[in-house]
Amino acid sequence: MKRMNNLIRSTLHMLLMAITVIPWATVVIVLSPFVSSQRLYRICVGWLALAIKSGELIIGIKSRVTGLENLPAGASGQAVLLVKHQSAWETFFMPLVVPHQLAYVFKRELLYIPFFGWAISMVDMIHIDRSRRVAASVKVAEQGRRLMDKGIWIIMFPEGTRIARGEKGGYRISGTRLAIECGAPVIPVAVTSARCWPPRAFIKRPGVVDVSIGKPIPSAGRKPDELMREVEDWIEAEMLRLDSEAYPSGQARLSTRNPGG
């Protein structure tokens, strides 16, 4: 009975998102030649807020955020956010709590999604071909520097893909390399979204998603792999603290989906 209820609620939420994304994306595409990137970003954040709020009202997915005080203040600061990735939920949610324009690094295949992909192609983001690792790394570095020079923060998922609850992917160093090259601090973020929104699963369930924002880690004088190990250690320790029932052995299981690089 509970599963059927969750199925109905998940279906209603998905239908709402599918219906509203069409007019939203159309507005973004039509306005893109006439308004600033910042304005387009705010329009996009409005739809993300709808997706999160409707998920709370329809499904019962609530959020609990700690560490907002760790986000650097001021419009001119730079930062690279490295976020645990368990579902699409944190992709929608992070722009709502970070009082700064964000640019995601994401696989270019998302651009082919009707309406949603067409709209995000209009906004300052970094889309990469993951099959061309060297070219993707170069693009992240070049575009990341350009965007951070404009005052836009970069947000990346260092494991590269959505990782199941209680598992850990390989942490890739492109995010820490970018931070070091730009002299920007790294901000680690732990997210327990798979409690309610499992990766690659249609049925979602009510509950509380914890989002924990760590203190900025300076990148000056660091090596990318060493800095990433510190990020990984903080995120995985925080995941264990926030969602201990997902880690019965006291540590994450290593996912075979995404080897580090």
Side-chain angles (χ1 to χ4, degrees):
M1 188 61 160
K2 182 181 294 186
R3 180 177 176 82
M4 179 58 68
N5 185 49
N6 289 340
L7 173 60
I8 293 172
R9 291 173 180 270
S10 298
T11 301
L12 290 174
H13 181 243
M14 183 60 70
L15 285 173
L16 176 64
M17 292 175 63
I19 292 171
T20 57
V21 75
I22 296 174
W24 159 75
T26 302
V27 168
V28 170
I29 294 167
V30 169
L31 290 180
S32 60
F34 309 107
V35 303
S36 67
S37 173
Q38 292 88 345
R39 180 60 178 165
L40 285 180
Y41 177 80
R42 290 301 164 195
I43 295 172
C44 293
V45 170
W47 183 80
L48 300 179
L50 173 64
I52 291 294
K53 189 62 178 178
S54 61
E56 180 178 347
L57 295 175
I58 297 173
I59 304 173
I61 302 176
K62 299 180 180 180
S63 61
R64 181 167 51 211
V65 182
T66 57
L68 281 173
E69 69 279 3
N70 292 325
L71 296 174
S76 60
Q78 296 182 334
V80 176
L81 277 72
L82 298 179
V83 183
K84 182 73 177 181
H85 195 19
Q86 292 192 325
S87 76
W89 185 91
E90 55 269 13
T91 307
F92 298 155
F93 184 78
M94 291 305 297
L96 308 185
V97 296
V98 177
H100 214 283
Q101 185 170 344
L102 299 175
Y104 279 88
V105 178
F106 61 89
K107 59 183 180 181
R108 67 176 184 175
E109 287 82 0
L110 293 181
L111 298 176
Y112 307 142
I113 299 175
F115 293 100
F116 178 84
W118 305 339
I120 62 175
S121 70
M122 301 291 109
V123 186
D124 278 327
M125 301 282 173
I126 305 173
H127 43 88
I128 60 174
D129 181 352
R130 293 198 304 194
S131 67
R132 302 176 63 194
R133 296 281 293 277
V134 175
S137 181
V138 170
K139 185 172 185 179
V140 169
E142 292 178 348
Q143 295 296 321
R145 284 194 296 268
R146 178 184 66 83
L147 292 172
M148 281 204 280
D149 285 343
K150 294 170 61 176
I152 298 172
W153 290 3
I154 307 301
I155 180 169
M156 301 176 68
F157 301 116
E159 293 164 289
T161 189
R162 292 165 290 176
I163 302 297
R165 187 181 182 197
E167 293 188 1
K168 177 176 70 170
Y171 279 67
R172 299 178 177 179
I173 63 173
S174 54
T176 50
R177 182 187 292 121
L178 173 62
I180 291 168
E181 290 179 356
C182 296
V186 169
I187 303 175
V189 182
V191 182
T192 65
S193 58
R195 280 178 180 163
C196 306
W197 191 317
R200 302 172 186 85
F202 179 79
I203 299 179
K204 304 161 186 67
R205 51 183 177 266
V208 177
V209 176
D210 279 296
V211 178
S212 179
I213 302 170
K215 294 181 179 180
I217 305 174
S219 63
R222 305 293 296 273
K223 295 181 178 180
D225 56 345
E226 172 221 354
L227 181 55
M228 185 54 78
R229 281 195 297 272
E230 183 174 347
V231 170
E232 177 181 350
D233 289 345
W234 187 91
I235 290 178
E236 294 302 326
E238 192 69 355
M239 293 299 297
L240 176 59
R241 184 185 71 83
L242 295 172
D243 194 14
S244 57
E245 65 183 30
Y247 302 89
S249 64
Q251 62 181 9
R253 298 183 301 277
L254 183 62
S255 172
T256 58
R257 293 186 58 86
N258 179 39

